[in-house]
Amino acid sequence: MYNAVNKFIISACFAATLLSCGNSDRESAQQLSDAAQVEISAGRYEGAIMLLDTLDTRFAAEVEVRRSAMKFRAMAVEGLTIRRISAVDDTLAFLKAEIDRLDQQFEYVANPGKGLGGNYVAKSLAKSKSYLLPRVNDEGYFTLSVKMPKSIGFEYIKFNQGSQSASTQPIKASRLVKVEGSEMTVLQQEDVTSAFDWMLDHSADSYELIGTKSSIKQKLSPELYGAMIETWQFAQARQAHRQALIEREKLERKLQLCRDQIANAIDR
């Protein structure tokens, strides 16, 4: 970051020097264009863009110089885009490795009914009798199934570690399903984000299902705690991977646009 800032400052000072040399506007504009080309050759694309911005702002009337410099802007953006693609590719490789590592700990469970998709569930919880079941759906989002043996008017979960705790967001009664005296619901990712971010740094050892009528307190076994954290990380990795793929696709389109602009400028 320090070197990047220095390069910006150097480019700005260089531009100011050019503008104070007493040359005609056309000569000064051409010098800025030439300086931008030098910056591009040196891989200092941000500096080149700064010089070209100065050219467009200070010498708006020098249409011919600005037109001939358009290819330099495209080249600078091309260089920055290639650099960003490389960084995104590194991120994708890391996330793919993380997903592959975590994937071994999960099994895919299809929902009943044709075309209803399914969820990834930690293998360690296949036979669990816990009231909580963390899952990752087909879109890569985290959900937490909550099943209670009795109706408590469930609102939220509080996770505890000693005297410290974190809670999920309260939900409305309309989201509860009651069957033969029991109660169940599904918490979405946005309902649990703050609590699970807290649990990444705290080894919770118990949880409470808090309701309007009563509450249920349970020990949080290391097995269930570990499965919830792994499920959360699995969901985050899958979502980040999807977002990185989207960014990669956008960057490819941007790169092609730059190259088309460069080719058109050269053909003129």
Side-chain angles (χ1 to χ4, degrees):
M1 178 63 73
Y2 178 79
N3 288 336
V5 171
N6 277 347
K7 289 171 184 176
F8 288 155
I9 293 173
I10 290 170
S11 295
C13 291
F14 184 41
T17 301
L18 289 174
L19 298 180
S20 62
C21 291
N23 296 333
S24 68
D25 282 356
R26 182 175 181 80
E27 290 174 333
S28 294
Q30 187 60 53
Q31 287 178 329
L32 280 172
S33 177
D34 294 342
Q37 185 176 12
V38 171
E39 291 291 286
I40 292 170
S41 299
R44 296 190 291 267
Y45 306 115
E46 297 92 342
I49 290 174
M50 181 178 290
L51 290 168
L52 292 169
D53 286 344
T54 302
L55 170 61
D56 288 341
T57 302
R58 178 66 177 80
F59 300 107
E62 299 301 323
V63 177
E64 289 302 319
V65 177
R66 290 174 56 224
R67 182 181 292 118
S68 66
M70 287 177 62
K71 62 179 178 292
F72 298 139
R73 184 179 294 277
M75 288 176 181
V77 175
E78 176 192 39
L80 289 173
T81 304
I82 291 172
R83 189 177 291 169
R84 180 57 188 164
I85 286 175
S86 178
V88 171
D89 284 345
D90 289 343
T91 299
L92 282 169
F94 170 80
L95 291 171
K96 181 62 167 59
E98 183 71 358
I99 291 170
D100 289 344
R101 179 185 70 81
L102 290 168
D103 187 62
Q104 300 176 33
Q105 310 302 319
F106 291 83
E107 61 180 354
Y108 186 77
V109 181
N111 288 321
K114 186 177 180 180
L116 295 180
N119 293 278
Y120 294 91
V121 178
K123 293 177 181 178
S124 61
L125 299 180
K127 299 180 179 180
S128 174
K129 302 296 183 180
S130 169
Y131 298 152
L132 306 181
L133 181 62
R135 303 176 298 185
V136 178
N137 64 22
D138 290 320
E139 286 72 41
Y141 288 96
F142 180 94
T143 63
L144 183 62
S145 176
V146 185
K147 296 182 180 180
M148 291 141 284
K150 61 180 181 179
S151 177
I152 65 171
F154 174 80
E155 285 190 311
Y156 63 93
I157 306 172
K158 183 169 74 169
F159 296 100
N160 306 301
Q161 182 198 45
S163 61
Q164 300 183 64
S165 65
S167 300
T168 62
Q169 294 296 316
I171 65 167
K172 295 180 179 179
S174 59
R175 290 175 58 181
L176 298 176
V177 177
K178 298 179 181 180
V179 180
E180 297 180 352
S182 66
E183 200 170 71
M184 64 185 68
T185 190
V186 176
L187 300 184
Q188 302 300 319
Q189 182 168 302
E190 56 269 23
D191 297 322
V192 305
T193 296
S194 59
F196 272 76
D197 284 345
W198 177 85
M199 284 206 295
L200 289 173
D201 298 319
H202 299 80
S203 299
D205 51 27
S206 69
Y207 65 92
E208 297 174 67
L209 306 176
I210 310 294
T212 57
K213 296 185 291 186
S214 62
S215 301
I216 299 174
K217 186 170 183 178
Q218 293 284 302
K219 288 185 177 180
L220 182 56
S221 68
E223 179 182 73
L224 177 56
Y225 171 80
M228 288 201 296
I229 294 301
E230 279 196 336
T231 306
W232 182 255
Q233 293 173 332
F234 190 43
Q236 298 303 303
R238 287 173 61 86
Q239 291 169 52
H241 188 265
R242 173 176 290 187
Q243 289 302 312
L245 285 175
I246 292 172
E247 182 181 2
R248 183 65 162 76
E249 184 178 336
K250 289 180 179 178
L251 288 169
E252 282 292 347
R253 291 199 296 268
K254 185 176 183 179
L255 182 61
Q256 186 58 55
L257 178 61
C258 290
R259 289 175 172 171
D260 289 344
Q261 290 174 343
I262 294 169
N264 290 337
I266 294 174
D267 289 342
R268 287 177 180 173

